[in-house]
Each structure stands twice: as structure tokens, then as C-alpha cells.
Amino acid sequence: MTKEQASADDLIAVIIKGIDEVKGEDIQLLDLREIENTVCDYFIVCSGNSNTQINAISGSIQKLVSKELKDKPWHVEGQGNAEWVLMDYVNVVVHIFQKQVREYYDIESLWGDAKITEINPA
């Protein structure tokens, strides 16, 4: 395992922990490494029930990643209306959706060639 892969694995684990701490739901990891011309290696997709929870999930992720890995997102979008927040950690991109917005965009189908793993935190 390369150092970059180890750091991606660490980042994914901390992001999932951040989602779980504020009860984010329906967490999926999309492995995009086998797909040509992708913008990153992984997507993490999850859902929340309200604007407040969406912002809590993104805040929890940022706080834990900063504390445990001394890293911060390169870019964050969507916190204003909190229906779909995108957090770009360069090789891992997090999508936090309200349920109806997630159903509408169906990002998992758009990336149908990705290896998708359902995440069920303890």
C-alpha cells in the first residue's frame, strides 16, 4: 500500500466517523480508481434529514479531519442552502445530501461503473 493510499484510507475512515457522529444516513463509498478521467479517487455519499443536520455533518467532518489528520478541505460548496454540500479533499470528495435532493440527482447511478460499498458504522 502506498503512502497516498494509506492517507486516503485514513481520510475515508475519519470522514465516515464524522458522518456517523451526527447520525448521517445511507453512507456509500464509491471507488472511482478504475474509471478513466475521474476528478478524484473516491466519493463518499451520505444523507441528512434537514439543513441543520447537513451543516452538522459537514462541520463534524471538518472538525475531525482537522483534529486527527491536520487536513482541511480544498474547497466546500453548498453550505448556504444546505441541500447538497460538497467537500473536496482532493482525492476524496464528500457529497452530503438531503434525501429528496439525493434521490433527484441519483449520483450513484451517474457513476454506475464505480465499485460501491455500503458503509454501516458501528
Side-chain angles (χ1 to χ4, degrees):
M1 184 179 299
T2 66
K3 182 177 187 271
E4 183 176 303
Q5 181 60 43
S7 65
D9 290 344
D10 292 344
L11 180 59
I12 290 165
V14 173
I15 289 169
I16 290 168
K17 182 177 170 186
I19 295 167
D20 189 47
E21 281 192 359
V22 289
K23 309 292 188 245
E25 300 173 351
D26 194 16
I27 306 168
Q28 294 189 327
L29 174 66
L30 283 69
D31 184 340
L32 308 173
R33 292 175 296 171
E34 300 294 317
I35 302 172
E36 288 186 33
N37 302 319
T38 58
V39 295
C40 63
D41 292 338
Y42 299 95
F43 281 166
I44 297 175
V45 183
C46 71
S47 299
N49 295 310
S50 67
N51 298 29
T52 304
Q53 187 181 22
I54 299 299
N55 282 326
I57 292 168
S58 71
S60 176
I61 292 168
Q62 285 187 58
K63 183 174 142 190
L64 274 177
V65 170
S66 176
K67 179 180 167 190
E68 295 188 18
L69 302 176
K70 309 290 187 257
D71 198 0
K72 61 183 182 182
W74 177 71
H75 186 73
V76 178
E77 283 184 35
Q79 288 179 309
N81 67 8
E83 291 182 354
W84 175 3
V85 173
L86 180 143
M87 303 175 72
D88 185 349
Y89 282 94
V90 183
N91 60 343
V92 179
V93 175
V94 184
H95 298 272
I96 310 164
F97 288 100
Q98 286 194 32
K99 289 182 180 177
Q100 71 277 10
V101 177
R102 183 174 181 173
E103 289 170 8
Y104 178 80
Y105 286 103
D106 194 16
I107 198 167
E108 295 90 341
S109 290
L110 292 175
W111 294 92
D113 292 343
K115 179 181 173 217
I116 300 176
T117 306
E118 297 275 339
I119 306 294
N120 298 305

